[in-house]
């Protein structure tokens, strides 16, 4: 079987998802047995002009980003959003809820008007170009990444969960974070990570984005039972899911 050529590109992000790929250690060698990585700024110095699969980390925040992702899209038969910044805009989208000039002034002060700080409202990758697949999370889960890449390489459709994190959390036997008076977003967040945050004693931060068809009635019931206000829920959702 001919190896598929993979290129990794990044836009506005912390590059944590690429670090996760480097954290694969010896399993990265297993991946290299079935694909050739031809472009990856963070992981290699060589550059390849042709590729079959483009992994995209980061969100679009500048006009030149939009031009660049369109060029990548034209060359890539398969394009995959990698992580929260690429798939939902991530924390970069928090600025979309405020006046952009005020945000730039707050961050850059008197230098806000310099050309190198030109930016516009944050967009996820699929809001600019068509994508074939999405690997969610901040950072990505390596078990899920391996499953998705394996499916693509052997020509099957990856199984991306459409149920909430609560399902995986219950299957791990975790106590409910609501019983600790915490506002957990697992009830409306897409599963696939195996609930690492609640399993470690934290609430779900919602980094995988909202599930396709959230059980609004269940969420409303939880809010009523634990006396949670709509305002506090909206504040919590804003970290990763600002529109």
């Amino acid at each position: 079987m001919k190896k598929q050529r993979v290129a990794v590109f990044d836009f506005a992000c912390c590059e944590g998802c690429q670090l996760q790929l480097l954290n694969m250690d010896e399993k990265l060698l297993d991946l290299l047995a079935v694909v050739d990585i031809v472009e990856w700024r963070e992981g290699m110095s060589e550059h390849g002009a042709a590729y079959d699969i483009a992994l995209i980390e980061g969100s679009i925040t500048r006009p030149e980003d939009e031009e660049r992702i369109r060029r990548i899209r034209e060359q890539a038969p398969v394009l995959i959003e990698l992580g929260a910044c690429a798939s939902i805009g991530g924390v970069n989208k928090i600025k979309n809820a405020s006046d952009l000039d005020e945000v730039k002034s707050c961050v850059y002060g008197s230098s806000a008007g310099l050309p190198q700080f030109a930016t516009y409202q944050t967009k996820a990758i699929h809001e600019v170009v068509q994508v074939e697949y999405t690997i969610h999370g901040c950072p990505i889960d390596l078990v899920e990444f391996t499953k998705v890449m394996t499916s693509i390489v052997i020509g099957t459709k990856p199984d991306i969960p459409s149920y909430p994190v609560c399902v995986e959390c219950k299957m791990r036997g975790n106590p409910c974070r609501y019983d600790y008076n915490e506002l957990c977003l697992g009830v409306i967040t897409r599963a696939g990570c195996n609930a690492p945050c609640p399993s470690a004693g934290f609430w779900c931060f919602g980094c995988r984005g909202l599930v396709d068809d959230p059980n609004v009635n269940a969420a409303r019931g939880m809010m009523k039972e634990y006396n949670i206000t709509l305002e506090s829920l909206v504040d919590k959702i804003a970290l990763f899911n600002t529109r």
Side-chain angles (χ1 to χ4, degrees), residues 62-80:
R62 305 175 301 172
E64 53 265 45
D65 292 342
E66 196 158 326
E67 295 172 3
R68 180 176 170 231
I69 190 60
R70 292 189 190 282
R71 290 196 299 269
I72 293 172
R73 173 71 275 189
E74 289 175 356
Q75 296 186 50
V78 175
L79 193 144
I80 304 172

Side-chain angles (χ1 to χ4, degrees), residues 14-60:
C14 71
E15 302 188 11
C17 292
Q18 292 182 72
L19 284 176
Q20 276 289 79
L21 299 184
L22 292 172
N23 287 336
M24 293 176 72
D25 297 327
E26 68 273 12
K27 291 183 178 178
L28 185 58
L29 299 178
D30 295 336
L31 177 64
L32 293 176
V34 294
V35 303
D36 283 327
I37 299 180
V38 298
E39 174 86 28
W40 185 8
R41 181 185 57 79
E42 191 164 307
M44 57 191 285
S45 54
E46 295 81 1
H47 302 281
Y51 40 85
D52 305 301
I53 301 172
L55 291 170
I56 309 297
E57 184 188 15
S59 49
I60 304 302

